[in-house]
Amino acid sequence: MSDKHDFIVKNGVLIRYRGPGGDVWVPAGVKEIGPKAFAGCRALTRAVLPEGTRRVGDRAFFDCAGLAQVQLPQGLKEIGQYAFGGCVSLFGLEIPRGVKKVGKGAFAGCASLTRLVLPQSVKKPKYSAFRGCPLSASAPYLPVKTFKQKNRPQAAQHFAAACLAELEMRRKIRAGYLGYIRSRRKRLYPAAVESEELLWLMLKKKMVPKKEIRLLLEETDKQEKPAAKAAVMGYGKQRFLEKGSKEKAGRNKGK
């Protein structure tokens, strides 16, 4: 447990944490985590912010290399510049609904951040907020064109995983990814079989035409993915049945 003497608080702003680290519960009544309040506290492993906290200031947790978990409260409105920059152990973070601003470099260098839940209340997050993060953290929230050509297949894989998990994302970003996947589907078949989430999304959205099913099956054999092969075969059978039903309906209509 945290000791109240570990915190310097003035007018509801946590100016500085001077405790030993570990798991830390910020005391009730704090409305803002001030700039650099925890910066450089590498022994910090977990931070729980109290209800009523409205802002996490610039570089508030900067370079907290051991910080693995952060619990942010409902009612939070803003995350400042480089607030969690350099938190290389942070592996997951859920931003509460209602947060409107995420500053430049907010998660820069969070090399272990594989899951990020970002609400639609955040207006147009910038690429710089995720610089140095794994693609899984940023892909669902940034347009596919944001990424270099060579990284777009991997971004599509992570988009597909987020899409199937029903994470919130902007309609325009979703449409951009789906358009990219449809237009590049043949080039993306190896990535789809590799990740399988992308494959499931392609099949769910019926992106694979009947004439390309064999091509996709060859890729499943090449990668030795029997589960993926079974899924593609099931999809092919379903498409064949759908086509047969449509042809039969057309013949009946013509009689």
Side-chain angles (χ1 to χ4, degrees), residues 185-199:
R185 63 180 184 275
K186 290 178 73 173
R187 295 182 182 180
L188 288 173
Y189 286 159
V193 173
E194 178 187 46
S195 74
E196 293 193 18
E197 289 94 348
L198 181 53
L199 176 63

Side-chain angles (χ1 to χ4, degrees), residues 87-233:
C87 293
V88 295
S89 298
L90 188 63
F91 62 84
L93 189 62
E94 183 168 350
I95 309 299
R97 293 184 179 182
V99 171
K100 295 182 177 180
K101 183 178 180 181
V102 173
K104 175 183 177 182
F107 313 107
C110 292
S112 300
L113 188 62
T114 55
R115 177 174 169 80
L116 177 68
V117 178
L118 195 68
Q120 292 190 29
S121 58
V122 178
K123 304 299 181 183
K124 296 182 179 180
K126 303 295 185 183
Y127 173 75
S128 65
F130 310 100
R131 193 180 301 277
C133 293
L135 283 173
S136 58
S138 57
Y141 310 113
L142 296 175
V144 66
K145 292 182 179 179
T146 304
F147 304 100
K148 294 179 180 179
Q149 287 279 0
K150 66 178 182 179
N151 293 330
R152 289 178 188 177
Q154 189 180 0
Q157 289 175 330
H158 294 302
F159 160 79
C163 196
L164 293 175
E166 299 183 344
L167 293 185
E168 284 187 23
M169 63 185 78
R170 296 189 180 283
R171 186 177 300 175
K172 188 174 181 180
I173 290 176
R174 181 190 295 269
Y177 273 101
L178 292 176
Y180 165 76
I181 294 168
R182 282 193 181 94
S183 64
R184 303 290 196 282
R185 63 180 184 275
K186 290 178 73 173
R187 295 182 182 180
L188 288 173
Y189 286 159
V193 173
E194 178 187 46
S195 74
E196 293 193 18
E197 289 94 348
L198 181 53
L199 176 63
W200 280 109
L201 183 64
M202 283 181 165
L203 301 183
K204 181 179 180 181
K205 297 293 184 180
K206 298 182 180 180
M207 294 184 184
V208 183
K210 186 180 176 182
K211 64 182 180 180
E212 293 176 13
I213 290 175
R214 183 176 295 278
L215 180 64
L216 193 49
L217 286 172
E218 289 173 357
E219 185 62 39
T220 63
D221 287 336
K222 182 179 178 181
Q223 294 192 34
E224 298 181 349
K225 293 288 188 74
K229 183 174 183 177
V232 175
M233 291 178 69

Side-chain angles (χ1 to χ4, degrees), residues 10-27:
K10 292 183 180 180
N11 299 321
V13 179
L14 175 57
I15 304 297
R16 186 66 183 169
Y17 171 74
R18 54 186 182 183
D23 291 357
V24 171
W25 280 258
V26 174

Side-chain angles (χ1 to χ4, degrees), residues 6-125:
D6 294 340
F7 306 94
I8 300 175
V9 180
K10 292 183 180 180
N11 299 321
V13 179
L14 175 57
I15 304 297
R16 186 66 183 169
Y17 171 74
R18 54 186 182 183
D23 291 357
V24 171
W25 280 258
V26 174
V30 168
K31 299 183 184 303
E32 179 179 342
I33 309 299
K36 300 183 180 181
F38 288 88
C41 183
R42 297 194 158 207
L44 180 68
T45 55
R46 183 186 179 203
V48 179
L49 278 57
E51 294 298 324
T53 303
R54 307 283 287 181
R55 184 175 191 274
V56 178
D58 296 350
R59 299 178 183 266
F61 293 91
F62 185 78
D63 197 31
C64 290
L67 181 63
Q69 293 179 282
V70 178
Q71 184 174 322
L72 301 174
Q74 297 298 322
L76 188 71
K77 298 297 181 185
E78 182 179 346
I79 297 174
Q81 296 184 18
Y82 299 96
F84 297 98
C87 293
V88 295
S89 298
L90 188 63
F91 62 84
L93 189 62
E94 183 168 350
I95 309 299
R97 293 184 179 182
V99 171
K100 295 182 177 180
K101 183 178 180 181
V102 173
K104 175 183 177 182
F107 313 107
C110 292
S112 300
L113 188 62
T114 55
R115 177 174 169 80
L116 177 68
V117 178
L118 195 68
Q120 292 190 29
S121 58
V122 178
K123 304 299 181 183
K124 296 182 179 180

